[in-house]
Amino acid sequence: MLATVVTTALLGIDAYPVYLEADLARSGLPAFTMVGLAEGAVKESKERVFTALKNSGFKLPPSRITVNLAPADMRKEGSSYDLPLALCLLAAAEVLPQNVLDGFYLAGELSLNGALKPVSGILPMALQAKAAKARGLIVAKENSAEASVVQDIPVYPVESLREAALFLLGEQRLEPCVSDLDAIWSNNPVHHLDFKDVKGQEHAKRAIEIAAAGSHNLLFMGPPGSGKTMLAKRIPSVLPLLKFQEALEVTKIYSVAGKLEPEQSLITERPFRAPHHTISDAGLIGGGQYPRPGEVSLAHQGVLFLDELAEFKKQVLEVLRQPIEDGRVTISRAAISLSYPANCMLVAAMNPCPCGYWTDENHPCTCTPRQIQRYRAKLSGPLLDRIDLQVEVPAVPYKELKKTQSSMDSESMRQRIFAAHSLQDARYAEGNCRINSELSGDDLQKHCKLTDTEHDFLEQAVHKLGLSARAYTRVLRIARTIADLSREEKIDVRHLAEAINFRFLDREDLV
């Protein structure tokens, strides 16, 4: 007999339906054949499924079994097909009626004793099931909270293959899992790191405030011990919570990557990723034999912090160009092309030279001009051009260190940043962008209007500093954010001057 069940496969961070078909033929020698571009873990499911069926008290008759995974031209991978395959075989053997499986989406890995284990990628599956108006989802109990974030579709948590079969037969009742979204959003994160702990560096804190208010890229350059990393690690304390659609996007990425915490249903806090400088290009932007999201995608809608920027391999840094500019990563292979969202705020920190003391008045620099030039050459001009704010972080003088409290703390900064985000939400409600760093084309001209006075000032700056067209655009975006922080609709010379002042490398007299 022929039976069919529905599950899903992943393409990037989105799911598409996979129809698993099983045919049990009583004629011929017993055999098992699986077709439909099944990869390693999917092919191995045969052994897990047959053993789980036996240990769950089910017995299949000797048959010639053919299993097809449609669409057959798309690669299937992972262990989530165990439960669909087991239930489909039971339906083909007439243990389960086909009609009890119709309309359900199924996913889960089976242990040899029939227990159901969680799998990755459940949230995209739930969204696909809702779009297809399915009757419901049957998933592992550990996956149910994640799936139930998607409203208006029942999610049934099961702990074993036998429990799933009895539920479908109507012999055991299961209550759908329900997520309390209000409770999830009210659980605000507690940050133990605060900007009030950072003595001095008011200029750098102001740069962080601007960067967080407009999601601008930021580079800190200064000697060792000046507080660059300390400043960067406190950025999450001033970032606003994710909106619901943004939270769904971020949670989908973490679900596909298998990085959701146990029992975590939705990520509401903006991510902060800080990979080590030994990371590979595939680890940073994604890829591999079976492509997975990289660090730049895991930082989507949050912060990607690259400490010791000049210590990263040059080819690793160069692959960041397209994600920084487009907010997406495209990974092309011979068999498949995938796209992952990567709209994050890049924050980087580096020393000005190999020894680190080129700009430090208290320590002599031991580097030669050629060594400094070679060190700086690891960062190409096009990459630096894509970093909006380039800020010098000098060593902290003792008079600042002895102060008991900083003049800027996370709470006051957060209030100003939230107010700026509210202005941008209202301004871009009907537009193509969501925040100042995304302004381009007509939107840039519309929301960054300048009078002749501002144009004359900016023209002089462009000629004197040799700013590129991209740098000119970024200065306008930064000025728009500075005006928003001041709650001013019009951009004037003060805002432009402050924006240009944060282009440290454009003003610097390079070696």
Side-chain angles (χ1 to χ4, degrees):
M1 180 181 173
L2 177 66
T4 304
V5 299
V6 185
T7 182
T8 59
L10 294 170
L11 186 63
I13 64 168
D14 296 314
Y16 62 91
V18 171
Y19 300 92
L20 194 154
E21 304 167 328
D23 179 74
L24 269 66
R26 303 295 177 88
S27 60
L29 295 174
F32 182 91
T33 305
M34 181 180 286
V35 295
L37 278 184
E39 297 296 331
V42 185
K43 291 181 178 179
E44 292 172 355
S45 65
K46 169 194 170 185
E47 307 301 331
R48 291 192 299 272
V49 167
F50 277 92
T51 305
L53 285 169
K54 180 192 70 173
N55 291 330
S56 299
F58 299 108
K59 186 176 181 181
L60 298 179
S63 312
R64 185 177 184 85
I65 302 173
T66 304
V67 175
N68 178 46
L69 299 170
D73 61 340
M74 299 294 287
R75 187 178 64 195
K76 319 322 182 287
E77 59 180 9
S79 57
S80 63
Y81 300 96
D82 289 4
L83 179 65
L85 176 57
L87 294 175
C88 191
L89 290 174
L90 290 177
E94 301 182 348
V95 176
L96 293 175
Q98 173 66 55
N99 67 302
V100 302
L101 290 166
D102 292 340
F104 278 104
Y105 274 63
L106 312 166
E109 178 184 334
L110 287 173
S111 296
L112 297 183
N113 63 358
L116 202 61
K117 294 182 176 181
V119 294
S120 59
I122 288 296
L123 180 57
M125 175 185 180
L127 292 169
Q128 166 59 34
K130 180 181 178 179
K133 298 181 179 179
R135 286 170 60 190
L137 282 82
I138 299 177
V139 297
K141 184 178 180 180
E142 294 86 348
N143 284 138
S144 59
E146 175 188 344
S148 63
V149 169
V150 181
Q151 304 292 293
D152 303 323
I153 183 167
V155 177
Y156 298 99
V158 297
E159 297 184 5
S160 67
L161 170 60
R162 186 166 188 81
E163 187 179 31
L166 292 176
F167 165 70
L168 291 167
L169 288 169
E171 298 178 11
Q172 183 171 335
R173 181 176 176 79
L174 290 177
E175 292 296 329
C177 180
V178 179
S179 286
D180 187 348
L181 293 181
D182 291 334
I184 293 174
W185 286 106
S186 63
N187 187 20
N188 293 327
V190 177
H191 296 286
H192 300 289
L193 301 178
D194 195 292
F195 278 104
K196 67 182 180 182
D197 303 325
V198 182
K199 307 293 179 63
Q201 306 300 7
E202 305 305 313
H203 183 63
K205 292 179 188 178
R206 172 63 173 170
I208 288 175
E209 186 176 302
I210 295 169
S215 192
H216 301 289
N217 301 322
L218 172 64
L219 171 65
F220 288 136
M221 181 181 290
S226 57
K228 303 184 296 296
T229 304
M230 190 177 184
L231 287 161
K233 288 184 176 179
R234 282 156 176 75
I235 292 177
S237 67
V238 299
L239 296 178
L241 291 177
L242 293 164
K243 302 180 181 70
F244 182 69
Q245 288 302 320
E246 293 174 338
L248 280 180
E249 286 182 5
V250 174
T251 307
K252 281 171 65 177
I253 296 170
Y254 278 71
S255 177
V256 169
K259 293 187 177 295
L260 278 182
E261 298 294 331
E263 303 300 328
Q264 186 177 22
S265 56
L266 191 68
I267 296 175
T268 59
E269 186 178 4
R270 294 186 182 272
F272 182 87
R273 306 292 298 184
H276 193 260
H277 64 261
T278 56
I279 193 172
S280 66
D281 51 357
L284 188 60
I285 68 163
Q289 183 178 3
Y290 302 111
R292 286 288 183 270
E295 289 292 334
V296 69
S297 294
L298 292 171
H300 180 61
Q301 299 296 352
V303 176
L304 176 66
F305 176 47
L306 302 183
D307 201 3
E308 302 296 345
L309 184 66
E311 300 301 328
F312 284 76
K313 296 177 183 177
K314 186 177 178 63
Q315 66 268 24
V316 172
L317 293 177
E318 291 306 304
V319 298
L320 276 176
R321 288 196 204 175
Q322 183 241 346
I324 291 175
E325 192 73 17
D326 301 336
R328 296 195 70 82
V329 169
T330 301
I331 301 170
S332 297
R333 298 291 183 266
I336 196 169
S337 179
L338 300 175
S339 181
Y340 294 115
N343 189 9
C344 64
M345 182 175 113
L346 174 65
V347 178
M350 64 177 289
N351 296 327
C353 64
C355 79
Y357 295 110
W358 185 49
T359 57
D360 192 344
E361 297 178 356
N362 300 318
H363 294 83
C365 176
T366 60
C367 304
T368 64
R370 180 163 181 78
Q371 286 175 323
I372 297 176
Q373 185 180 30
R374 190 183 303 117
Y375 184 77
R376 296 284 190 91
K378 294 181 181 180
L379 310 180
S380 66
L383 178 63
L384 289 174
D385 214 24
R386 286 167 166 82
I387 298 178
D388 305 2
L389 296 100
Q390 304 156 358
V391 183
E392 183 180 16
V393 184
V396 184
Y398 183 78
K399 66 178 181 178
E400 295 290 342
L401 291 175
K402 70 179 182 180
K403 289 183 179 179
T404 57
Q405 191 172 2
S406 172
S407 62
M408 293 178 70
D409 60 9
S410 292
E411 180 58 31
S412 60
M413 293 171 66
R414 182 164 52 242
Q415 290 177 3
R416 291 190 291 271
I417 290 167
F418 284 15
H421 273 264
S422 297
L423 286 175
Q424 293 169 66
D425 289 341
R427 181 188 301 132
Y428 306 133
E430 304 297 330
N432 298 320
C433 59
R434 294 180 294 180
I435 203 160
N436 288 339
S437 63
E438 298 176 3
L439 283 172
S440 62
D442 293 338
D443 289 331
L444 186 70
Q445 298 300 321
K446 178 181 178 181
H447 300 296
C448 298
K449 292 181 179 179
L450 303 179
T451 65
D452 291 341
T453 302
E454 285 85 39
H455 274 300
D456 291 342
F457 174 81
L458 195 52
E459 182 180 7
Q460 293 179 27
V462 168
H463 287 309
K464 185 174 181 180
L465 301 177
L467 299 181
S468 67
R470 181 184 288 114
Y472 162 80
T473 299
R474 293 183 183 277
V475 166
L476 285 180
R477 292 171 179 170
I478 298 168
R480 176 69 273 165
T481 300
I482 294 172
D484 288 345
L485 285 168
S486 302
R487 300 191 180 188
E488 298 178 40
E489 185 58 33
K490 180 180 178 300
I491 297 175
D492 61 28
V493 172
R494 291 178 296 112
H495 306 136
L496 291 170
E498 187 175 5
I500 292 170
N501 191 47
F502 282 115
R503 301 285 298 184
F504 162 65
L505 294 179
D506 293 328
R507 298 180 290 102
E508 184 188 31
D509 184 15
L510 294 177
V511 178

